[in-house]
Amino acid sequence: APFGNVFELAPAFRLGISQSGTDMILSWPAYYTGAVVESSSDLSASFAEMSPQPTVTKIGNLNIAIIPASASQYFRLRK
């Protein structure tokens, strides 16, 4: 019989964001895998999974996603 809940704990991290030309570049630690990128045009509104999801490339110890820039957007990761 099961004995309680199992939790996955991961160290906290900051989602990096920078701009390169007309693209936004998101970066986060490579150990944080299996996440989806969500976006919202307003912090007080709900976030939605980006569709299609940006391609994520591992470069060194970072995961990198390049997103074409559009109107003001906020981003977060959800696992």
Side-chain angles (χ1 to χ4, degrees):
F3 294 102
N5 297 318
V6 176
F7 297 95
E8 177 183 355
L9 301 177
F13 67 90
R14 184 171 290 171
L15 177 63
I17 186 166
S18 60
Q19 186 172 359
S20 177
T22 60
D23 293 330
M24 301 306 297
I25 301 172
L26 303 181
S27 61
W28 61 95
Y31 65 77
Y32 195 79
T33 60
V36 295
V37 179
E38 295 183 329
S39 66
S40 176
S41 60
D42 187 333
L43 282 177
S44 63
S46 61
F47 279 74
E49 188 173 315
M50 293 188 75
S51 181
Q53 279 289 294
T55 300
V56 176
T57 304
K58 183 179 176 190
I59 299 176
N61 62 349
L62 291 175
N63 288 319
I64 305 291
I66 299 174
I67 299 170
S70 60
S72 294
Q73 289 187 67
Y74 299 93
F75 299 98
R76 72 179 184 189
L77 296 179
R78 181 181 51 79
K79 210 167 191 187

